[in-house]
């Protein structure tokens, strides 16, 4: 679990930095600037939460995880972060590209995994009980902002309603409801 939390913490920190850089890049568009600053602040909070989670898991051996990060998920998330970083470095970032990368990141498995860690903590730690609502609000913020632009509606809807590659039904059975929720969230994408 510590590797998973560390992976999340690093990615949350990296995306916060990239959102801040993108805000500066698009500073002439005050609405986009404020939106990106808000997303960056959310991601910084997520980073702090993962740092606290790391300490809790590191000092409390009764917290366990049945989830191992898949290389394919890691690759997809790194690809999003790298693409955003590369375009910022080359001064080639466009608003449509930024929007598509944000939508890709915010509706990826990344947030399901983040929620998995939060949900596993909220059982034992009261302070984590309502964090899931903040995560949903974060996603809703992206939906509301990009939902106002016709050029993003299709892409946003596509990520929100990703259909499985096959029509098979999968029964997920586990004694831990949090594991079932994580797997269901990932598999439904």
């Amino acid at each position: 679990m510590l590797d998973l939390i560390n992976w999340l913490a690093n990615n949350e920190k990296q995306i916060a930095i990239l959102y801040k850089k993108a805000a500066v890049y698009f500073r002439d568009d005050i609405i986009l600037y404020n939106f990106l600053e808000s997303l960056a602040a959310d991601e910084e909070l997520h980073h702090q939460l993962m740092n606290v989670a790391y300490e809790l898991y590191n000092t409390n051996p009764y917290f366990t995880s049945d989830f191992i990060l898949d290389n394919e998920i890691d690759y997809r998330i790194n690809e999003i972060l790298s693409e955003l970083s590369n375009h910022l470095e080359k001064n080639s970032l466009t608003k449509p590209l930024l929007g598509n990368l944000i939508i890709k990141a915010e509706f990826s498995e990344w947030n399901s995994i983040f929620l998995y860690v939060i949900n596993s903590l909220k059982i034992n730690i009261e302070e984590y009980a309502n964090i899931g609502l903040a995560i949903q609000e974060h996603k809703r913020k992206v939906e509301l902002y990009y939902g106002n632009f016709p050029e993003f509606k299709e892409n946003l809807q596509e990520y929100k309603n990703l259909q499985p590659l096959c029509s098979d039904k999968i029964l997920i059975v586990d004694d831990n409801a949090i594991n079932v929720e994580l797997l269901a969230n990932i598999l439904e994408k």
Side-chain angles (χ1 to χ4, degrees):
M1 182 65 123
L2 291 175
D3 289 341
L4 179 62
I5 293 171
N6 193 46
W7 178 83
L8 285 165
N10 288 336
N11 286 338
E12 297 293 346
K13 183 66 175 172
Q14 188 176 0
I15 197 72
I17 291 167
L18 291 171
Y19 284 165
K20 280 193 161 296
K21 286 181 179 180
V24 171
Y25 188 86
F26 290 111
R27 65 185 166 273
D28 293 338
D29 182 337
I30 193 66
I31 295 171
L32 180 57
Y33 174 87
N34 288 335
F35 171 67
L36 291 167
E37 282 288 323
S38 176
L39 289 181
D42 290 350
E43 300 300 349
E44 287 172 356
L45 173 63
H46 300 168
H47 175 252
Q48 292 169 5
L49 289 169
M50 288 301 101
N51 286 339
V52 171
Y54 187 91
E55 290 305 315
L56 289 168
Y57 271 93
N58 199 30
T59 58
N60 295 295
Y62 60 90
F63 288 130
T64 61
S65 171
D66 297 322
F67 181 79
I68 297 172
L69 184 64
D70 179 276
N71 286 337
E72 191 174 318
I73 293 171
D74 183 43
Y75 176 79
R76 281 195 302 268
I77 301 308
N78 283 326
E79 192 174 48
I80 295 166
L81 296 172
S82 294
E83 186 174 356
L84 180 53
S85 180
N86 290 337
H87 281 285
L88 283 166
E89 287 174 19
K90 294 176 183 175
N91 289 322
S92 61
L93 186 62
T94 64
K95 289 179 185 179
L97 179 59
L98 173 66
N100 288 328
L101 290 171
I102 288 173
I103 291 167
K104 233 187 224 184
E106 298 300 337
F107 291 91
S108 69
E109 303 92 338
W110 179 352
N111 284 316
S112 297
I113 296 167
F114 183 88
L115 281 173
Y116 168 75
V117 172
I118 295 299
N119 285 337
S120 67
L121 288 171
K122 77 181 184 181
I123 293 170
N124 297 302
I125 301 164
E126 191 174 316
E127 291 81 12
Y128 278 76
N130 295 317
I131 301 294
L133 296 174
I135 303 305
Q136 287 304 106
E137 187 60 34
H138 180 76
K139 273 177 96 170
R140 197 170 304 122
K141 190 184 298 183
V142 172
E143 287 179 51
L144 290 173
Y145 182 83
Y146 284 109
N148 289 320
F149 297 95
E151 64 268 30
F152 294 109
K153 283 188 180 183
E154 185 177 320
N155 195 1
L156 186 60
Q157 197 62 39
E158 180 182 322
Y159 278 99
K160 283 172 54 179
N161 297 327
L162 282 176
Q163 296 299 315
L165 295 175
C166 61
S167 60
D168 294 339
K169 302 239 184 240
I170 299 172
L171 175 64
I172 302 169
V173 180
D174 195 299
D175 293 338
N176 187 333
I178 295 167
N179 291 343
V180 171
E181 184 178 345
L182 171 66
L183 289 171
N185 284 334
I186 289 174
L187 292 173
E188 79 180 14
K189 294 186 185 309

